[in-house]
Amino acid sequence: MRHLLLAAVAAASLALPVQAQEPAPVPSPGEIAAAAKADEWIAIAPSDLLVMELAPDAKGKARRVVIQLMPAPFSQGWIGNIRKLAAAHWWDGTSVNRVQDNYVAQWGDATEKKPLPKGLAVVPESEYMWPYRPAMFTKIWTYGAPQDAVMPIYPSPPATSPVTNYTDPYARAFGFFGGFPFAATIKQSREGGNYKREPESVWPIHCYGAVGVGRNMSPDTGSGAELYVVIGHAPRHLDQNIAVVGRVLGGIEYLSSLPRGTGALGFYEEAAERVPVKAIRLAIDLPADERPKFEYLSTESASFLRYADARANRRDPFFIKPAAGADICNIPVPVRAVTAK
Amino acid sequence: MRHLLLAAVAAASLALPVQAQEPAPVPSPGEIAAAAKADEWIAIAPSDLLVMELAPDAKGKARRVVIQLMPAPFSQGWIGNIRKLAAAHWWDGTSVNRVQDNYVAQWGDATEKKPLPKGLAVVPESEYMWPYRPAMFTKIWTYGAPQDAVMPIYPSPPATSPVTNYTDPYARAFGFFGGFPFAATIKQSREGGNYKREPESVWPIHCYGAVGVGRNMSPDTGSGAELYVVIGHAPRHLDQNIAVVGRVLGGIEYLSSLPRGTGALGFYEEAAERVPVKAIRLAIDLPADERPKFEYLSTESASFLRYADARANRRDPFFIKPAAGADICNIPVPVRAVTAK
């Protein structure tokens, strides 16, 4: 695979003249995102970025993980707690205590005795899902091309060719909102002579990089003090069973490449194995020159639709057979770090 | 999450008396597999186990990765090459050269100059899929309960309650064979007054832990000398585009937890970052007392059907809402290492 992949990188970075006889190669999903217009990228507010500084690695290299918190109305009870925990510097001196292969890396207070700040919310399980609000999604994704979120069932939506399969074994449909993927139920209603269908309930989902809230047995839903990130195949069975509060935008490799814990469920057996968390802060509470800046590709943009289609139908040169389908976790919303000019 | 999970482990390991008033908790998928009968486990032949010894880690700990090669008729051209490469000790002294987060770890000859053994097959792309052979799958998995692989469409298969959604956005159906997951097309045929449907073409798929064959641009399909393992969310878009030849049964953490490469596509930029491969052998070519022994849970067994249902419908105590669905890569075939008694 090495030759190919290096060749593809070279082709993208050198502006080689294209010969008249040879059509330009179809761009890869990454190339489509990279070519998106500036106004298709959305800056993430520093008040929605959670910055975790792990202790430096064995070579003294800093390890910073940047997390985007989920937009309202989703998971805001837990996210309010997370903001309070960060403001109280509660995580400083805690640690990454669990790394289970193909599952999660988890951090918090290993002693389970550190007092929590006062005033944290107790969030009910009902907040694992949320009623759909009109215009929350611009498109819904099921079988076939992404469709308007409110659509008549009769007549059928126009057929596309080739039909792309975006069905989800875990939900009737999915959509994107604020840079995050959500699953949805669909309700059918009657308007005049037509039946319409639109999303009814929506919930955030566990894809690679999703950040969730550890909890004890139901009806406990966790405070937000114990957090984990998905570092393996999407554990979608956790959807609606644990709160998803964000996703990692940068630095996930500092968690996903940690040694796996050898205790039950990947907990580290020795205290020395734990990776110290130096600090967790909202970016807005950092000095301006230390704030990370990230953007995501608007999921309402034309480039995102092209990107998603290319994720489901790879036509760039390496591929010989497009899949004609994709699962939602195989369409990660593109993000990019913005560095000072 | 910590309390819960440790409590669950304790409950499984201590034979606590169950009170008459409290129904026994529903077992987790792992508990179902662990309780399977001895004859539901199938020993994997040592001629089908590929054993990779990486250089010991920084603390001197041995790192052994064990791979099950895929059964005939799938990918046998490449697997024949892999057997020759192992017999020639070709990989000894090569290295892991690429680790890309949420994608693959890849090993082979970093110099790309090491001569290959003579007589390796050149395998055509047509071998990325295979005609379905009657009785290859005992069940096919689509929407609803797993169904007999040949079934009438009219009348409909019996409704199950609740209906479980095993649809796959990448294929019409899936099935299991020899411990591996496969996707399938479906053909419809007429027999008497009924239409029957059954799998037509089948192909191995890229789930977490799948081992594939690196290649250059089409029509190259790779020799098998350059191999990778999936260490992230299933990259199903690679199905039918690259050969899958096996899956990792043990030691994947020695690859998935390696530092990510900082070069393009996760290649290591410095030779010192590469992890040396000491040796790769078939288990049958190792001294008897050094051979790993593994078993997989027969995918034809009653316990596997219960396990798969539990993967799609978690009813064990931690869960409050079963998903009523699962994607094939979230139903990994259980394996266990067998140690000498």
Side-chain angles (χ1 to χ4, degrees):
Chain A
M1 197 148 32
R2 182 186 176 95
H3 282 127
L4 159 76
L5 295 170
L6 294 179
V9 169
S13 58
L14 305 174
L16 294 170
V18 176
Q19 298 196 7
Q21 293 83 344
E22 292 185 19
V26 175
S28 69
E31 289 164 345
I32 291 169
K37 288 180 289 185
D39 66 4
E40 293 182 309
W41 290 92
I42 296 178
I44 301 167
S47 54
D48 288 336
L49 291 178
L50 197 65
V51 183
M52 172 160 66
E53 300 286 354
L54 300 175
D57 72 10
K59 292 177 184 161
K61 189 185 168 200
R63 293 186 279 189
R64 171 184 267 197
V65 181
V66 181
I67 295 163
Q68 179 185 8
L69 297 171
M70 189 160 288
F74 299 99
S75 304
Q76 294 301 298
W78 297 280
I79 289 172
N81 289 349
I82 288 167
R83 294 181 190 282
K84 284 179 186 158
L85 289 155
H89 298 188
W90 186 83
W91 280 292
D92 302 15
T94 64
S95 51
V96 181
N97 305 314
R98 175 191 184 193
V99 183
Q100 185 172 1
D101 197 68
N102 190 22
Y103 200 41
V104 296
Q106 188 169 328
W107 62 95
D109 169 34
T111 71
E112 303 191 67
K113 288 177 182 164
K114 188 170 183 175
L116 292 169
K118 291 209 165 95
L120 296 189
V122 176
V123 190
E125 290 174 346
S126 56
E127 301 210 1
Y128 288 147
M129 64 189 324
W130 207 258
Y132 179 76
R133 205 170 61 189
M136 192 174 254
F137 303 160
T138 51
K139 301 281 183 189
I140 59 171
W141 305 63
T142 55
Y143 186 75
Q147 296 156 347
D148 289 341
V150 177
M151 58 180 179
I153 297 182
Y154 310 106
S156 301
T160 54
S161 176
V163 174
T164 300
N165 192 348
Y166 294 109
T167 54
D168 180 357
Y170 300 92
R172 276 292 307 282
F174 60 86
F176 295 92
F177 174 71
F180 284 84
F182 294 87
T185 60
I186 295 288
K187 78 169 170 191
Q188 188 166 304
S189 60
R190 191 165 178 161
E191 192 168 279
N194 283 340
Y195 289 95
K196 289 196 315 178
R197 53 182 192 177
E198 61 187 321
E200 182 169 28
S201 295
V202 291
W203 61 95
I205 66 173
H206 284 82
C207 292
Y208 190 91
V211 175
V213 173
R215 66 163 169 89
N216 292 318
M217 283 296 202
S218 169
D220 180 59
T221 65
S223 65
E226 184 93 359
L227 295 173
Y228 62 85
V229 59
V230 172
I231 58 164
H233 186 72
R236 298 283 308 279
H237 50 288
L238 298 178
D239 297 354
Q240 298 187 57
N241 283 285
I242 309 192
V244 180
V245 292
R247 68 170 178 139
V248 174
L249 303 178
I252 195 168
E253 65 273 20
Y254 302 126
L255 295 164
S256 60
S257 69
L258 290 176
R260 278 43 179 158
T262 50
L265 306 162
F267 279 95
Y268 290 128
E269 295 183 281
E270 307 291 336
E273 295 177 287
R274 297 177 190 143
V275 179
V277 173
K278 282 174 60 185
I280 298 184
R281 299 283 184 279
L282 288 174
I284 200 158
D285 293 330
L286 295 173
D289 62 349
E290 291 178 21
R291 292 178 192 163
K293 293 194 175 80
F294 277 87
E295 297 176 336
Y296 70 90
L297 182 61
S298 167
T299 53
E300 279 82 59
S301 67
S303 289
F304 180 77
L305 286 179
R306 281 198 298 276
Y307 161 86
D309 174 70
R311 290 290 303 176
N313 296 288
R314 295 293 295 259
R315 302 179 195 94
D316 42 316
F318 185 71
F319 288 83
I320 56 176
K321 184 160 184 180
D327 67 281
I328 184 170
C329 292
N330 211 358
I331 310 173
V333 177
V335 294
R336 64 181 185 189
V338 180
T339 47
K341 283 169 186 123
Chain B
M1 198 147 32
R2 182 187 177 94
H3 284 125
L4 160 77
L5 296 171
L6 294 181
V9 169
S13 58
L14 304 174
L16 295 171
V18 176
Q19 298 196 4
Q21 292 85 344
E22 292 184 19
V26 175
S28 70
E31 289 164 345
I32 292 169
K37 288 179 288 184
D39 66 4
E40 293 182 310
W41 290 92
I42 296 178
I44 302 167
S47 54
D48 288 336
L49 291 177
L50 197 65
V51 183
M52 172 160 67
E53 301 285 355
L54 299 175
D57 71 11
K59 293 176 184 162
K61 189 185 167 199
R63 292 186 280 191
R64 172 183 266 199
V65 181
V66 181
I67 295 163
Q68 178 186 7
L69 297 171
M70 188 160 290
F74 298 100
S75 303
Q76 295 301 299
W78 297 281
I79 289 172
N81 289 349
I82 288 168
R83 294 180 190 282
K84 284 181 185 156
L85 288 155
H89 299 189
W90 187 84
W91 280 292
D92 302 15
T94 64
S95 50
V96 181
N97 304 315
R98 174 192 186 194
V99 184
Q100 184 172 1
D101 196 69
N102 191 21
Y103 201 41
V104 297
Q106 188 169 329
W107 61 94
D109 169 35
T111 71
E112 304 189 66
K113 288 176 182 164
K114 188 170 181 173
L116 291 169
K118 291 211 165 96
L120 297 189
V122 176
V123 190
E125 290 174 346
S126 57
E127 301 211 0
Y128 289 147
M129 65 190 322
W130 207 260
Y132 179 76
R133 204 170 61 188
M136 192 174 254
F137 303 159
T138 51
K139 301 280 183 189
I140 60 171
W141 305 63
T142 54
Y143 185 75
Q147 296 156 348
D148 289 341
V150 177
M151 59 182 178
I153 297 183
Y154 309 105
S156 300
T160 55
S161 177
V163 173
T164 301
N165 192 348
Y166 294 109
T167 53
D168 180 357
Y170 300 92
R172 276 293 306 283
F174 59 87
F176 296 91
F177 174 70
F180 283 85
F182 293 86
T185 59
I186 295 288
K187 78 168 169 194
Q188 187 167 306
S189 61
R190 193 165 177 163
E191 192 167 280
N194 284 337
Y195 289 94
K196 290 196 314 177
R197 53 182 191 178
E198 62 186 321
E200 183 169 29
S201 295
V202 290
W203 60 96
I205 66 173
H206 283 81
C207 293
Y208 191 92
V211 175
V213 173
R215 66 163 170 87
N216 292 318
M217 283 298 202
S218 169
D220 180 61
T221 64
S223 65
E226 183 93 0
L227 295 173
Y228 63 86
V229 58
V230 172
I231 59 164
H233 186 73
R236 298 283 307 278
H237 50 288
L238 298 177
D239 297 354
Q240 298 188 56
N241 283 285
I242 309 192
V244 180
V245 291
R247 68 172 178 138
V248 174
L249 303 178
I252 195 169
E253 65 272 22
Y254 302 126
L255 296 164
S256 59
S257 70
L258 289 175
R260 279 42 180 157
T262 51
L265 306 163
F267 278 97
Y268 290 129
E269 295 182 280
E270 307 292 335
E273 296 176 287
R274 296 176 191 145
V275 179
V277 173
K278 282 174 60 184
I280 298 184
R281 299 283 184 277
L282 288 174
I284 200 158
D285 293 330
L286 295 174
D289 61 349
E290 292 178 22
R291 291 179 193 164
K293 293 193 174 79
F294 277 87
E295 297 176 335
Y296 69 90
L297 182 61
S298 166
T299 53
E300 279 82 57
S301 67
S303 290
F304 181 77
L305 287 180
R306 280 197 299 275
Y307 162 86
D309 173 70
R311 289 292 302 177
N313 295 288
R314 295 294 293 259
R315 302 179 196 94
D316 42 316
F318 184 72
F319 287 83
I320 57 175
K321 184 161 184 179
D327 68 281
I328 184 169
C329 291
N330 211 357
I331 310 174
V333 177
V335 293
R336 64 182 185 187
V338 180
T339 47
K341 288 174 184 117

